[in-house]
Amino acid sequence: MGAPADNQPCRSLRGAIRIEDAVKIYENDDGGLVAVDHCSFNCAAGEITMVVGPSGCGKTTLLNAIAGFHSLTSGTIYLDDELLCGPEKLQAKPGPDRIVVFQNGALFPWKTNIENVVFGPVAQGAMLPADARDKARSMLAGAGLAGIEDEYPGQISSGMRRRVEIVRALINDPKVLLLDEPYRALDALTKSVMHEALLQTCYRSRVTVFFITHDLEEAIFLGDQIEIMTSRPCRTKKRLKVDLPHPRDHTIVTSRRFRELMDETIDAVHEEAAKAFRLGEREG
Amino acid sequence: MEAPADHGHPRAGAPHSAIRRVRLELAVYRALDWLASPRPYLMLLGFALFLGFWWLSVEVWRLPRFSGMPGLTTIVREWLSPEPEFGLSLFTPDYYLHILTSLQRVIIAFGLATLLGVSLGLVMGWSDAAREYIFPGFEILRPIPALAWVPLAILMFTGTEAPVIFVTFLPAFFATTLNTMLGVRSIDTQYFRAAACLGASQGYVFRHIVLPGAMPFIFTGLEISMGLSWFSLVAGEMISGEYGLGYVIYTGYTMISYPTTVIGMITLGVVGYLSSAVIRLIGKLLMRWRARELGLEG
């Protein structure tokens, strides 16, 4: 990924994910629902990998397997060459090295924003509460969220809630940030600003990002690499490296290279979307 | 290019004294607004219609089934007189003794029910194993009405207070436990997953996710069980009490001093309402996040 921030010391990138031959079959009365069918791909450390596919194709299942919420039926997932889950150990253990930002937002409504942000460090005992608060305050300020620390999530807009949730994840210095269609419920105008904000955050922190979306424009704008998934059961249909230069801003969406990339991928995405539509897939 | 900064946020940097003054002004404004609206007058009209019907049906028109009842003027005169004909009014010290006895019993029973009920409810809500062991037996005992327990209560407990408190405790306990359990089960799985990602231990999750997440349900349960406590207290007092509002109501009937009965009923209504209101207030204070969230949506 390009353009590191000037004051960021060069450090080795972490969070490379390697998925090998993942299969997930849900048991049900009809014998078994195959959600993921021999899926393999890699997410390079420090880069943003976008996973694009129609609703219900099984991409959230992959995210849940990486995060440790579900087990895999077979296959292996490695994080920085360490085994996360595999034949000997079917389910990973959730932890602060792979933090999820959820689709509908999972900020704890009964805690103020700053209490939410310090939740990780305080729960793990990694920082003293006072130090955690100071760090949280400065990280919130850096994300343009100063002034809302003592309010509750229910009092701020959903766009701001997403940003607070991302800060809540990043304060733990995770290896991987797992984003499950976080901007799905936002309007298009807010979304475009959120994208720029997310890129700024990524330039600063160099965290590896695994981002699920159904929006191809979002994928090309944000991503360094795109995995286009087939409809359920999911498998990689097409892989694409996005060679747009960093730092990117909203003007890049109308550039010729952007449109060329859209051209290359839109047919593949549309084909799978039509299949899912005919099958009547439910969102995960 | 920088992420958009929220400089225009209204509360950034305001001093606390200014915030307090604004809150006071807001409260005064809301009170005046309420007085200026039709709401308080509709409320008074509602009371007036009810009391008016009572007065008219008993004392003026003397309708067939109503003529034997104590009339509104009789009750009011009795309640407010320093020398009440039937022995109980605002000026007799016995009146307050009865209220305090009942109140004391309710507080003890409700307190026990809350302590044991919330604890058991949290355990059953959180642990699938505990729920499987305990819930079936719990659900068989729950429908047994409080009064059916009175004979057993008199056998099990010595003295006059303990059986009454036990009978009052039971329905409150069942309601609180059930609501607490449902409250824990109502917490979205995403919150547990988020906490796991953030490295929280089970104990931390219990204190910071389970307990606050179940609070809205717990407080609904507490309001319900406060009402149930009064309900079953009166029934228990009718049978085994010497003082108390239930005793007053029942002996008013047996001694044919019906105004006393009605005074007891009205007092019960007012005290019961006030105790529920106290619970609601405590709930609002403990769950400021919910009040603000709902306030903004309203």
Side-chain angles (χ1 to χ4, degrees):
Chain A
M1 184 155 110
D6 289 327
N7 54 357
Q8 192 83 343
C10 241
R11 68 158 187 212
S12 59
L13 299 169
R14 322 170 295 167
I17 298 178
R18 201 163 81 236
I19 303 176
E20 285 178 3
D21 209 36
V23 177
K24 176 67 183 174
I25 303 177
Y26 289 105
E27 305 287 327
N28 67 9
D29 295 329
D30 302 325
L33 185 80
V34 185
V36 180
D37 181 20
H38 298 286
C39 187
S40 304
F41 64 89
N42 296 347
C43 304
E47 289 199 351
I48 303 181
T49 304
M50 307 295 291
V51 177
V52 183
S55 298
C57 75
K59 36 193 208 297
T60 302
T61 307
L62 273 177
L63 182 144
N64 285 343
I66 300 173
F69 303 147
H70 286 161
S71 59
L72 281 181
T73 311
S74 76
T76 345
I77 304 183
Y78 294 94
L79 178 69
D80 284 334
D81 291 324
E82 266 175 42
L83 184 75
L84 260 190
C85 59
E88 308 289 301
K89 178 187 168 194
L90 287 175
Q91 184 161 348
K93 190 167 178 301
D97 53 345
R98 300 149 278 138
I99 304 189
V100 180
V101 174
F102 294 87
Q103 200 174 101
N104 295 312
L107 283 182
F108 307 124
W110 47 84
K111 289 185 173 295
T112 60
N113 293 321
I114 196 161
E115 284 170 355
N116 264 286
V117 174
V118 304
F119 187 90
V122 173
Q124 297 160 48
M127 290 175 84
L128 292 172
D131 298 335
R133 284 183 93 91
D134 290 334
K135 185 167 179 200
R137 231 176 273 274
S138 74
M139 284 184 78
L140 282 170
L145 294 166
I148 54 144
E149 295 96 345
D150 297 317
E151 298 197 348
Y152 291 97
Q155 296 175 265
I156 55 178
S157 71
S158 47
M160 287 169 88
R161 282 204 284 270
R162 287 293 177 284
R163 285 153 66 193
V164 174
E165 205 172 333
I166 292 175
V167 175
R168 182 176 77 171
L170 290 176
I171 197 173
N172 301 281
D173 202 21
K175 291 184 185 172
V176 186
L177 203 56
L178 299 162
L179 297 150
D180 187 359
E181 298 189 60
Y183 305 139
R184 185 192 180 121
L186 299 177
D187 63 87
L189 300 176
T190 314
K191 231 194 267 205
S192 67
V193 184
M194 299 286 281
H195 290 159
E196 289 176 332
L198 181 64
L199 279 182
Q200 287 300 313
T201 308
C202 288
Y203 295 151
R204 275 200 300 272
S205 68
R206 317 299 304 281
V207 66
T208 308
V209 175
F210 180 101
F211 192 124
I212 293 182
T213 180
H214 59 272
D215 182 348
L216 188 57
E217 274 203 27
E218 181 175 58
I220 300 178
F221 180 76
L222 291 174
D224 293 305
Q225 173 173 304
I226 302 180
E227 297 284 326
I228 299 176
M229 297 302 203
T230 61
S231 61
R232 189 182 56 80
C234 82
R235 211 175 307 118
T236 304
K237 185 185 178 81
K238 193 181 172 94
R239 184 168 297 140
L240 192 76
K241 267 217 141 356
V242 181
D243 53 4
L244 296 167
H246 287 280
R248 300 177 189 166
D249 66 17
H250 65 277
T251 57
I252 211 162
V253 175
T254 49
S255 71
R256 166 188 279 174
R257 183 65 192 137
F258 191 97
R259 292 293 139 190
E260 281 170 12
L261 290 165
M262 284 275 313
D263 227 354
E264 281 179 51
T265 48
I266 197 160
D267 289 326
V269 171
H270 187 81
E271 196 184 320
E272 293 307 316
K275 263 194 228 155
F277 181 77
R278 278 196 303 275
L279 290 169
E281 293 293 347
R282 274 180 55 220
E283 297 94 69
Chain B
M1 182 165 44
E2 276 305 311
D6 298 280
H7 298 301
H9 196 270
R11 251 179 253 146
H16 284 289
S17 57
I19 295 176
R20 248 179 281 138
R21 206 189 62 236
V22 168
R23 285 210 183 113
L24 184 65
E25 286 174 9
L26 195 61
V28 169
Y29 171 78
R30 282 205 181 111
L32 291 175
D33 186 59
W34 183 71
L35 281 174
S37 73
R39 289 197 301 268
Y41 310 105
L42 288 174
M43 188 174 84
L44 288 174
L45 183 66
F47 275 118
L49 283 172
F50 172 69
L51 295 172
F53 176 75
W54 181 8
W55 176 64
L56 288 172
S57 62
V58 177
E59 293 179 59
V60 175
W61 299 328
R62 298 192 180 274
L63 297 176
R65 303 297 304 165
F66 288 86
S67 53
M69 274 177 55
L72 178 63
T73 47
T74 325
I75 303 292
V76 172
R77 224 181 304 128
E78 177 83 0
W79 202 20
L80 298 175
S81 92
E83 293 282 324
E85 194 184 329
F86 296 96
L88 209 68
S89 82
L90 283 175
F91 295 94
T92 50
D94 263 359
Y95 181 64
Y96 299 99
L97 182 61
H98 289 301
I99 295 178
L100 255 93
T101 315
S102 286
L103 205 57
Q104 188 181 294
R105 288 169 178 158
V106 164
I107 289 176
I108 297 176
F110 179 78
L112 270 174
T114 303
L115 206 65
L116 296 174
V118 171
S119 313
L120 186 63
L122 288 173
V123 166
M124 286 210 290
W126 203 26
S127 154
D128 289 336
R131 192 167 53 250
E132 274 176 40
Y133 292 145
I134 303 175
F135 195 58
F138 177 87
E139 279 291 275
I140 289 179
L141 289 174
R142 190 163 65 92
I144 301 174
L147 281 186
W149 285 96
V150 168
L152 277 184
I154 296 179
L155 283 175
M156 283 194 282
F157 301 103
T158 55
T160 46
E161 286 301 304
V164 176
I165 293 178
F166 178 69
V167 163
T168 309
F169 155 86
L170 274 177
F173 167 73
F174 284 116
T176 306
T177 308
L178 195 65
N179 273 282
T180 305
M181 186 183 89
L182 293 173
V184 176
R185 311 264 284 146
S186 77
I187 302 174
D188 201 326
T189 330
Q190 303 287 57
Y191 296 129
F192 290 108
R193 286 181 170 175
C197 273
L198 292 165
S201 66
Q202 289 290 76
Y204 203 84
V205 167
F206 184 82
R207 279 197 315 275
H208 292 266
I209 312 283
V210 172
L211 201 50
M215 277 292 215
F217 270 76
I218 291 178
F219 267 89
T220 309
L222 290 182
E223 269 190 68
I224 292 172
S225 76
M226 177 55 95
L228 288 173
S229 297
W230 280 106
F231 195 76
S232 36
L233 170 78
V234 168
E237 279 181 343
M238 282 182 180
I239 291 178
S240 69
E242 292 166 317
Y243 290 98
L245 290 168
Y247 170 77
V248 161
I249 290 171
Y250 192 60
T251 49
Y253 164 68
T254 56
M255 311 263 274
I256 320 188
S257 54
Y258 300 127
T260 316
T261 300
V262 177
I263 290 177
M265 288 168 68
I266 297 175
T267 313
L268 195 59
V270 172
V271 178
Y273 169 76
L274 287 173
S275 24
S276 290
V278 166
I279 306 279
R280 266 197 299 276
L281 186 65
I282 298 177
K284 234 186 258 171
L285 291 175
L286 285 179
M287 292 186 290
R288 235 169 288 138
W289 59 271
R290 196 167 165 79
R292 290 193 199 168
E293 185 177 313
L294 294 175
L296 283 171
E297 285 167 15

